[in-house]
Amino acid sequence: MSLQVLTYLFIGLSFGLYIGIAIWCRSASTNEFYVAGSHVSPLANGAATAADWMSAASFLSMAGIIAFEGADGARYLMGWTGGYVLLALLLAPYLRKFSKYTVPDFVGDRYYSQTARLVAVVCVIFISFTYVAGQMRGVGIVFSRFLEVDINIGVLVGMAIVFFYAVLGGMKGITYTQVAQYCVLIFAYLVPAIYISLMLTGNPLPMLGFGSTMNDGSGVYLLDRLDGLTTELGMAAFTAGNKSTVDMFFITAALMAGTAGLPHVIVRFFTVPRVRDARISAGYALVFIALLYTTAPAVAAFARINIINNVEGMSYKGAPDWFSKWEDSGLIAWLDKNGDGKVQYRGGDALIPVKPEYLESRGSSGERQLANKASSSANELYIDRDIIVLAHPEIAQLPNWVVALVAAGGLAAALSTAAGLLLVISTAVSHDLLKKTFMPQINERQELLFARIAAAFAVAIAGLFGIYPLGFVAEVVAFAFGLAAASFFPVILLGIFSRRMNREGAISGMIVGLTFTFSYIVYFKFVSPQANNAANWWFGISPEGIGTLGMILNFMVSLVVSRFTPPPPADVQNMVENIRVPR
Amino acid sequence: MSKNNNDYWRANITLMSILLAVWFFVSFICGILIVDYLNQFRFFGYKLGFWFSQQGAIYTFVVLIFVYVWRMNKLDRKYGVEEEE
């Protein structure tokens, strides 16, 4: 069967499965809509959390980033898994005992303040929309490349599916579709990785394979071969880092604390029946996540070797199918600097500006001509990092069904995360904003209706982001983690571990942490992007890592202010004591 | 807070501190601060520091959560604060 037919088949089957589950688990009450009635088994919640958490970025982009950055990619690997240790030990069990529906619920009740609740609602909505924007784009890219339909149609189909199970099913529908989506995405990630690991090293486990010797009889370790190839071509050695130690430290810490503070992840722990289920469920979630995260660096190393071996010195006229298809999609570009008709792959950026700007015409070898100027580097090739996971099975010449499977997996990753985020947004609107703040008189049925309407609106807005992508989506992802690290993580942590922490301390801490982090990122990403380099950063911390400093400021301000203001009322102190014990 | 619950909370904090110390050691220390030093040693086909930052830290995180679950469930029973079935 052709690749396109197989892709339609796999995507069709997986979508049919999601819709079936959505019909089977409709939500009838707000309790079911917000937290699936708190009846989800810890194992199912673990799988759902893993799918909720692993987005188009984890599935499609991460291995690509590591493939090109090598050792520096570790900040994502450790940052996005280490956060679960914080979540399991410091937050999840206590929030489960608190047993309400949302993060603003906790902030509002613990700090006996509507202002605190509103600040939390604004953060939840901002963080979640930032995050969801990238997901819909991911859906569009998969559709346009593999089904050769317009990106916008892909986004519309994705919206329709999410609309169906998020609006109908609420948290209950989302939870069980996420379990199915986890199975699809992990299968789709592991199958090609195992295939390629066997081809390159003979070891079926990719996590061990990339520490094994090459299969070509040379007896050389794969990573040594890769370090050799990269240095030979004038690139940085794969296993050597380029980022400064202080920046790696701060970025990793911001990603960890941000992960633990992301509302759509936290809310998953409200869906299990008991405190001990919340603990073990975080463990299952991390096992499921670690399966992908320990495979990703292996995929990265394999992809880098395969790309170098296949592309370097290749004559453009004899280029394989995938090369020209991705060139047509605008994610690969080649500028024949020395006019020999062969691709020369070296260190450094090939083009100025870095991203290709295509002309309508074709060059002498048939390549798409570019408006970009040639850089001083001998490198002639531009490859977009986001295509690595999708293109690698084709580069390694795996069978068509594997390639089609990867497309279905990418969609599962993007849709599951989008649904979780949209639910958090709709809950923030119907529960925190309407029921708890502006329209306390509405009854349960009305609240549920508002929740569905808010979910529908959120889906529509997310779709707009997919169709009209903001050029700065990648830039604002730093926001989501930085803000979560500088706001929710400290505020929730202190709410549990400091009985003395009061309203004044928490609000001033949140405001200082948020304002500081927000201004720093805005300044370097939008106001003066040309100044965004290590020489101008405070203490050498990039905007990606500044959330850690914001978090430290938040902790300091909250602790100081709370010592000079009255302690929280007795019932709040009792509540803190109560959430500290399971029974 | 009753004495029993207070003792339970202290035991919890101790356990948590130990586990978080390990968490910090494998990721921030081995994976970032002394990664270059560790890279002079080999661990199978990996440089040791590279292995910690891209594999070892993650495996340790998983183990830490399961140790936490096991120890906490024991503490819950010891102090009689476990939830009903």
Side-chain angles (χ1 to χ4, degrees), chain A residues 94 207 239 275 279 294 583, chain B residues 12 46-47 55 76 80 83:
Chain A
Y94 310 107
M207 323 58 176
T239 60
V275 172
R279 291 181 193 139
T294 51
R583 185 155 71 188
Chain B
N12 174 5
Y46 313 92
K47 291 180 191 165
Q55 297 278 300
D76 286 356
E83 297 153 294

Side-chain angles (χ1 to χ4, degrees), chain A residues 239-292:
Chain A
T239 60
N242 296 315
K243 283 197 179 291
S244 74
T245 303
V246 63
D247 203 22
M248 279 291 281
F249 191 98
F250 273 78
I251 296 176
T252 308
L255 295 178
M256 285 189 185
T259 301
L262 280 178
H264 70 287
V265 177
I266 292 179
V267 74
R268 289 237 48 96
F269 292 92
F270 289 112
T271 66
V272 292
R274 294 170 305 184
V275 172
R276 47 195 271 213
D277 298 325
R279 291 181 193 139
I280 187 79
S281 181
Y284 290 137
L286 189 56
V287 170
F288 292 137
I289 292 167
L291 259 180
L292 189 145

